[in-house]
């Protein structure tokens, strides 16, 4: 995935999809069906020729029963520094949202850390993640409306919020330049 706004190598996603599908012991057709995507789309992704949006990867992660980060993480060096504006980033297809993975939970630890950047406009509607997921948000700049669809809360810089990530939820920027840290906890 080397298109503008996305710095996530297609090979990372392809290798992770093949690995996780093999671990689950399911066919290409079955995974596509579970994720609600076309078999041809999944085939392209596994061949490192597809360019999925964040929604497609989330659907595949849920269908595989793995955290989202498992599909986008790179091999980790001993020391990791991610400069502002760098790191594996994904844009939402239907909202002005960009998420950058800072840290995937190592073996035995099921948490991922992301930096989110969002502009006012359409909400980033998120389907439920794997059962037991909890999201933790800390707002850095701007204002954000976030949380489960029926319990959204307006947040300002320095505010913290946690909520179940295994229910439909959303994020909507209320000011330009809204940024936040998102920690996904998978139990």
């Amino acid at each position: 995935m080397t298109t503008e706004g996305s710095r996530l190598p297609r090979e990372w996603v392809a290798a992770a999809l093949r690995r996780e599908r093999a671990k689950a012991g399911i066919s290409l057709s079955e995974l596509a069906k579970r994720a609600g995507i076309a078999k041809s789309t999944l085939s392209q992704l596994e061949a490192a020729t597809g360019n999925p949006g964040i929604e497609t990867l989330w659907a595949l992660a849920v269908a595989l029963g793995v955290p989202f980060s498992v599909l986008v993480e790179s091999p980790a060096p001993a020391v990791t520094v991610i400069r502002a504006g760098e790191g594996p980033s994904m844009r939402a297809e239907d909202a002005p949202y960009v998420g950058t993975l800072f840290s995937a939970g190592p073996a035995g630890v099921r948490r991922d850390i992301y930096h989110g950047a969002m502009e006012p406009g359409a909400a980033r509607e998120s389907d439920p993640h794997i059962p037991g997921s909890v999201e933790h948000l800390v707002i850095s700049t701007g204002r954000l409306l976030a949380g489960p669809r029926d319990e959204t809360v307006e947040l300002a810089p320095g505010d913290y919020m946690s909520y179940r990530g295994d229910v439909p939820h959303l994020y909507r920027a209320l000011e330009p330049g809204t940024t936040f840290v998102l920690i996904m906890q998978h139990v």
Side-chain angles (χ1 to χ4, degrees):
M1 294 193 210
T2 56
T3 61
E4 174 134 351
S6 177
R7 294 176 300 280
L8 184 63
R10 293 176 182 174
E11 293 76 21
W12 293 359
V13 173
L17 282 170
R18 290 188 306 267
R19 179 189 67 236
E20 294 305 317
R21 188 170 61 79
K23 279 185 192 177
I26 58 176
S27 69
L28 194 84
S29 297
E30 181 60 24
L31 179 55
K33 179 180 171 185
R34 289 182 187 182
I37 66 171
K39 180 181 174 183
S40 59
T41 299
L42 180 55
S43 179
Q44 288 175 348
L45 295 177
E46 286 197 2
T49 59
N51 192 23
I54 195 169
E55 293 82 0
T56 299
L57 290 176
W58 274 114
L60 286 164
V62 170
L64 288 164
V66 299
F68 174 81
S69 61
V70 168
L71 300 182
V72 299
E73 67 188 338
S74 66
V79 173
T80 301
V81 175
I82 299 175
R83 303 280 181 206
E86 296 179 355
S89 297
M90 292 293 300
R91 291 191 180 280
E93 294 169 358
D94 297 326
Y97 171 82
V98 177
T100 302
L101 177 66
F102 280 166
S103 174
V109 176
R110 296 186 61 159
R111 67 94 188 110
D112 307 320
I113 304 172
Y114 297 88
H115 178 264
M118 195 164 196
E119 296 298 325
R124 163 71 180 109
E125 300 270 346
S126 183
D127 290 327
H129 305 310
I130 60 177
S133 296
V134 175
E135 294 195 1
H136 302 268
L137 282 173
V138 179
I139 308 306
S140 303
T141 60
R143 288 185 8 251
L144 187 73
L145 184 68
R149 288 186 185 148
D150 58 347
E151 297 180 64
T152 58
V153 175
E154 185 176 322
L155 303 167
D159 289 350
Y160 163 82
M161 175 185 194
S162 70
Y163 52 88
R164 290 179 52 195
D166 58 1
V167 299
H169 53 282
L170 64 86
Y171 319 99
R172 180 188 303 272
L174 302 175
E175 290 182 4
T178 297
T179 61
F180 51 93
V181 174
L182 169 65
I183 300 171
M184 296 279 305
Q185 171 184 316
H186 310 285
V187 293

